[in-house]
Amino acid sequence: MERGKDERLGGEPGVEVLHLTEDRITFMLNNVDISVANSLRRVMLAEVPTMAIDLVEVKENTSVLHDEFIAHRLGLIPLRSEMAAQFNYARDCTCDDSCPRCSVKFTLDVKCEEAHRRNITSKDLVSEHPDVVPIDADGLGDDLGGIVIVKMGRGQELRIEAIARKGIGKEHAKFNPVGTVAMCADGAIDLNHDALSTLPLDKIYEFVNTPTDDPPGNCPAKVLLYNDISKAIQVNEQAVDEEKARDINFFDKMAYFAEWWNDFNQLKDKTAPELIRIRDRPDRFIYSVESTGVMPPALIAKVAIDVLREKVNQLQREVAKGVEDAMDGHGYAMAM
Amino acid sequence: MSHANRPESWELVVLPDGTSKVAFEKDKKVENAGRFVVEREDHTLGNLVRMQLLEDTRVAFAGYRMPHPLEHKIHIEVHTTANSNPADAMILACNNLIDKLNRMEEKFDAEVARKQHQGL
């Protein structure tokens, strides 16, 4: 079959990982349409399966929070979900209620014996599954580690059985694996060397040498260089690469900076040319994905691609079926 | 009480009994045109497929819409020239997308491996 005008974008999609840490990945997607980029973003936000507590049975609760309040708080605790792919959705599972193939049992059994009060945290939750456990929150909060569920006074007791199930962010936000997925089009910096060369030297230094966030006339990062010998301003491409990996809003800030200087240049003469222009590159997208800790960020993006492909795959299978049903055995060419 | 008529959270994911994922309605007046009604999908798939359909020179028109935000389905309308038909165009578009996503995933895996090799 003819491929249509699919080659318009120059074929091969490309990926470049700019930055990778334990909880964040920044990567660039090249040569794809914005629809693909946006679908990937939407899937990472709402359709990557994770585990979360979904059913809570309260046996005993003499704490100050009522049962529903605690159930809600339990649901929001992020659980490690690398294994989510191996679980069934509870609604698809062959079992009647819950079984180890579709759910993980948690128990919480604590009584405050301390003189004053004690924090009940995600560390008090006992999981039946070695890999589906509350995330390691050490160093995230202000103290102790563990996510506080409730604070109890002396003599108060909490006995709970809870069941974690697999789900996606579309059903409930507690299944969302990411804090943020920021996406923006890549940019490019164009300098108008003719116009820049008419600036007085002190203005040129000001233009180049002010890497702070505000005021708006200051360059957001040290990405412009003035070469004393050639008397020309250059863009430091390496610094640009580092900046855009570090800060997803870099090109927005640059655009603000550019607007300020172009306005400045046109104060006396409204027809003066632009000094600097920030251009969008709409075939390249930068993503910054921050995981909540339930899975490594790279895995979130990978699973998202899988989920998206499975969606398209399913559509393809079902289209043939749907058309056959509609035609009811007649050939397609027949007019209805 | 306040949640008495709240829709179930899985309603936007699970296909209701007796409906098919994709239904096709052939246009009664125009040749080579029709509408796919895709159940339990949203803009994620709609926009993706629409843009891919428009890459095909034999597709004269492609559009999608979500008829109502509380009805979890999308309509994808396709109108092709005489040398194709909506079903073929759709299947080709899906093929190309799967291809694209496969290559994307390969590149992504290789890149992550490279980055991890460099050390976190």
Side-chain angles (χ1 to χ4, degrees):
Chain A
M1 251 184 207
E2 169 195 339
R3 298 272 319 237
K5 53 183 177 190
D6 194 36
E7 310 308 325
R8 190 193 59 175
L9 288 169
E12 285 292 292
V15 179
E16 193 186 332
V17 176
L18 304 175
H19 194 61
L20 182 63
T21 63
E22 247 173 73
D23 61 353
R24 187 185 284 276
I25 183 170
T26 308
F27 64 98
M28 181 138 70
L29 206 55
N30 302 328
N31 275 327
V32 296
D33 189 75
I34 189 165
S35 61
V36 178
N38 193 41
S39 290
L40 185 64
R41 182 190 66 85
R42 286 176 62 96
V43 170
M44 283 194 274
L45 272 172
E47 301 192 51
V48 170
T50 61
M51 308 293 288
I53 290 178
D54 203 30
L55 193 72
V56 175
E57 193 182 326
V58 180
K59 309 260 191 204
E60 177 76 51
N61 175 16
T62 52
S63 77
V64 292
L65 299 186
H66 57 256
D67 298 358
E68 291 88 341
F69 202 143
I70 289 175
H72 181 241
R73 290 184 70 79
L74 288 171
L76 295 177
I77 293 172
L79 307 176
R80 302 290 309 182
S81 299
E82 285 96 339
M83 309 294 283
Q86 286 159 34
F87 283 91
N88 293 331
Y89 288 106
R91 53 176 175 271
D92 298 335
C93 195
T94 48
C95 64
D96 288 334
D97 190 26
S98 57
C99 70
R101 282 186 306 261
C102 66
S103 46
V104 176
K105 222 180 244 168
F106 283 81
T107 45
L108 181 62
D109 188 350
V110 279
K111 188 167 184 182
C112 179
E113 311 283 7
E114 272 103 290
H116 292 294
R117 61 167 190 213
R118 123 170 223 205
N119 285 352
I120 308 306
T121 69
S122 54
K123 285 187 168 173
D124 293 303
L125 269 174
V126 181
S127 170
E128 265 193 349
H129 194 292
D131 296 320
V132 181
V133 293
I135 62 160
D136 185 6
D138 279 347
L140 289 182
D142 44 2
D143 57 343
L144 305 169
I147 300 158
V148 179
I149 299 164
V150 59
K151 294 179 178 176
M152 294 205 309
R154 185 174 170 82
Q156 294 179 351
E157 193 180 0
L158 195 56
R159 270 191 295 127
I160 279 174
E161 272 184 20
I163 285 174
R165 289 175 177 154
K166 178 166 133 173
I168 59 174
K170 255 181 155 184
E171 284 173 72
H172 193 292
K174 69 186 173 186
F175 293 115
N176 186 345
V178 294
T180 55
V181 181
M183 176 188 116
C184 72
D186 191 17
I189 301 168
D190 292 341
L191 296 175
N192 183 344
H193 294 286
D194 292 343
L196 283 168
S197 63
T198 64
L199 283 181
L201 198 59
D202 63 321
K203 281 293 163 198
I204 286 183
Y205 280 126
E206 208 177 303
F207 183 74
V208 171
N209 275 336
T210 46
T212 52
D213 278 342
D214 46 12
N218 291 355
C219 190
K222 217 170 173 53
V223 293
L224 301 172
L225 300 173
Y226 180 62
N227 189 327
D228 280 320
I229 297 156
S230 67
K231 308 280 180 216
I233 296 174
Q234 296 159 342
V235 178
N236 181 350
E237 293 296 343
Q238 196 192 338
V240 170
D241 285 346
E242 280 168 20
E243 273 311 308
K244 68 189 182 192
R246 197 179 61 82
D247 180 6
I248 190 112
N249 294 318
F250 170 65
F251 286 112
D252 277 351
K253 289 179 182 166
M254 281 305 284
Y256 201 42
F257 164 79
E259 194 186 328
W260 193 91
W261 277 95
N262 290 333
D263 284 352
F264 166 80
N265 197 36
Q266 289 162 354
L267 273 182
K268 284 192 201 117
D269 176 8
K270 284 211 155 49
T271 59
E274 288 181 328
L275 296 173
I276 174 172
R277 174 178 289 174
I278 311 301
R279 186 160 42 90
D280 259 7
R281 309 246 349 231
D283 58 335
R284 291 149 65 97
F285 300 93
I286 306 171
Y287 289 78
S288 176
V289 181
E290 184 198 36
S291 164
T292 56
V294 297
M295 335 179 180
L299 185 63
I300 295 175
K302 183 180 160 64
V303 173
I305 298 176
D306 287 339
V307 169
L308 199 54
R309 186 182 41 217
E310 182 45 37
K311 266 177 181 295
V312 179
N313 221 329
Q314 187 189 23
L315 179 70
Q316 188 184 40
R317 284 196 309 268
E318 299 284 336
V319 157
K321 223 189 285 173
V323 170
E324 209 169 282
D325 288 349
M327 293 306 136
D328 209 14
H330 301 301
Y332 186 81
M334 262 186 73
M336 285 168 86
Chain B
M1 278 302 280
S2 59
H3 293 311
N5 62 351
R6 186 185 64 165
E8 293 291 346
S9 63
W10 40 260
E11 267 182 26
L12 71 173
V13 182
V14 180
L15 203 61
D17 286 340
T19 52
S20 49
K21 180 81 182 171
V22 177
F24 180 64
E25 296 163 16
K26 190 173 168 11
D27 196 293
K28 295 202 172 61
K29 291 176 185 152
V30 186
E31 272 297 301
N32 295 319
R35 167 189 293 175
F36 296 91
V37 179
V38 188
E39 281 288 341
R40 310 296 120 162
E41 291 294 350
D42 60 12
H43 304 283
T44 305
L45 191 67
N47 191 39
L48 181 69
V49 171
R50 174 185 73 117
M51 293 311 283
Q52 185 63 46
L53 281 164
L54 291 172
E55 302 278 313
D56 188 339
T57 45
R58 289 163 302 174
V59 170
F61 172 84
Y64 88 98
R65 64 175 176 169
M66 209 168 172
H68 191 282
L70 293 178
E71 289 172 21
H72 311 292
K73 60 172 117 174
I74 52 170
H75 293 170
I76 304 175
E77 301 240 3
V78 188
H79 182 179
T80 68
T81 55
N83 54 358
S84 182
N85 63 55
D88 286 351
M90 199 72 161
I91 286 167
L92 177 63
C94 289
N95 259 334
N96 287 342
L97 275 176
I98 292 167
D99 221 44
K100 216 179 270 182
L101 289 166
N102 275 335
R103 280 177 290 165
M104 202 198 285
E105 190 172 12
E106 267 170 39
K107 296 253 172 67
F108 185 80
D109 285 348
E111 267 291 296
V112 170
R114 182 185 67 85
K115 204 75 184 176
Q116 269 162 352
H117 189 67
Q118 283 177 6
L120 280 175

